[in-house]
Amino acid sequence: MDRLLFVDDEPFVLKALKRTFALEGFEVVTAERPADALEMLQENSDFVVIGSDYRMPEMNGAEFLQRARELAPQSYRLLISAVEEFHAAVDAINRGEIYRFVPKPWDRDDLLHIVRGAVDDFHLRRKFQEMTALLHSKNTELASMNKTLEQRVADRTHDLLEALVTALDQRGAESVHSRRLAAWCVRLGWQLDLSPEQLAIMEQGALIHDVGKIGIPDSILLKGAQLTPEEWEQMKRHPEVGYRMLANIPFLDEARKLVLTHHERWDGGGYPLGLAGAAIPRSARILHVCEAYESIAHGRNFRPARGPEEARGEIARCSGTQFDPEIVAAFLAIPGEEWEEVGRAAVAPGPPPVQSLQDLKASLTASR
């Protein structure tokens, strides 16, 4: 039942108001003193409408309704008074303290219409607030569900990458160490101010960049000597093979672009597309530097290791031809011992290597 509160220093007025609205199905509470009404509001402010006379001892109606607004801001407030107080009522309306002014003597039907309108507005507003709260709750639930789904996708991606990396490691006589390369790419990407999202794609692409080598015969992949021109042509197909292998995995769509282009050169002399300069994805340019360092410093099955210092010097020498100068500069700005430590940590025994890359990304992002 909707509750109404009326305040007037004349008892017969309150009796008339109570009789009128009780017959209409409202619960009516009355008070002859504004102070008594304020005490009621402090104990229970659940009134839909608060009506008050203007001219009363102790405090006038506008002052009372102003105080009532603080205690029951959700209520609709009416000033019921003589016409001579009209200017005071207008002032109270302008200050937002009252909803409507009802002149004395009031017309019963007009008063009922005003109160019913206030009650309808009250319930519409409450319903809107409830629907807004419900919508917010549902949006929160949806966000939580989306986060759960995203985590499931991330977990599935993690499992898939682990499987592919394991397959590569088992076949990779060159000991390419995709995990070490991925850690270096993340470190260099951070040096170049890549976003966390870009670092994640960088990591995925680096981990599986050589997945196309699964399609290369062992006689070529495991050969312990220089490849013949014919064998080299077959080896050069692995970026395209890997790109096609990943075609039906939507969440690796960006990473597969790196798979296709990681052997492109800054001067256009790379393969398979012969891209040059900024036409090469930035992630591929980063990986190209990291892979060249790994190849020179740590060697291949057909080429001895030349060490970190010589690898850094060779990369510096090829800046602007084989490598993007900006990326080379960022690479050289990273101390050599730190760079090697990142690589060692990525392939060290212990926690799952992909998780260690996630830790590396988190620590790099947190340090910004």
Side-chain angles (χ1 to χ4, degrees), residues 135-244:
L135 180 61
H136 177 73
S137 173
K138 294 299 182 183
N139 284 340
T140 301
E141 291 178 13
L142 183 59
S144 177
M145 291 175 60
N146 285 340
K147 188 173 182 180
T148 300
L149 290 173
E150 288 171 1
Q151 185 58 49
R152 288 180 180 175
V153 170
D155 292 342
R156 297 296 183 271
T157 303
H158 173 277
D159 294 343
L160 175 61
L161 293 179
E162 274 294 303
L164 289 173
V165 170
T166 299
L168 288 171
D169 284 350
Q170 290 177 348
R171 290 205 67 216
E174 296 179 348
S175 299
V176 172
H177 296 302
S178 298
R179 296 184 177 95
R180 177 167 57 187
L181 209 59
W184 279 337
C185 285
V186 170
R187 177 63 183 90
L188 185 51
W190 177 83
Q191 189 76 15
L192 289 160
D193 290 324
L194 266 64
S195 69
E197 293 76 15
Q198 291 171 319
L199 290 177
I201 294 171
M202 186 88 237
E203 175 192 343
Q204 290 178 345
L207 282 169
I208 58 174
H209 72 286
D210 272 340
V211 68
K213 287 185 177 179
I214 292 176
I216 302 299
D218 286 349
S219 59
I220 296 176
L221 188 65
L222 306 180
K223 188 174 182 179
Q226 291 287 347
L227 301 179
T228 66
E230 293 77 13
E231 291 170 336
W232 180 238
E233 286 302 316
Q234 288 193 59
M235 179 66 80
K236 287 167 63 176
R237 293 177 52 245
H238 78 269
E240 294 178 86
V241 173
Y243 183 75
R244 289 196 298 271

Side-chain angles (χ1 to χ4, degrees), residues 41 45 47 50 67-77:
L41 289 172
S45 63
F47 290 97
I50 301 174
R67 297 276 299 277
R69 180 188 183 190
E70 298 169 359
L71 297 172
Q74 80 286 351
S75 300
Y76 281 72
R77 294 165 295 280

Side-chain angles (χ1 to χ4, degrees), residues 294-308:
E294 200 273 344
S295 175
I296 298 168
H298 297 275
R300 289 284 188 264
N301 58 318
F302 57 86
R303 181 172 61 239
R306 292 158 60 183

Side-chain angles (χ1 to χ4, degrees), residues 278-296:
I280 306 169
R282 201 179 190 201
S283 58
R285 287 177 262 152
I286 292 172
L287 175 57
H288 192 45
V289 169
C290 296
E291 188 168 34
Y293 175 89
E294 200 273 344
S295 175
I296 298 168

Side-chain angles (χ1 to χ4, degrees), residues 77-95:
R77 294 165 295 280
L78 308 178
L79 187 62
I80 305 173
S81 191
V83 175
E84 55 263 27
E85 278 92 36
F86 178 75
H87 293 295
V90 170
D91 183 52
I93 291 173
N94 289 337
R95 291 198 303 270

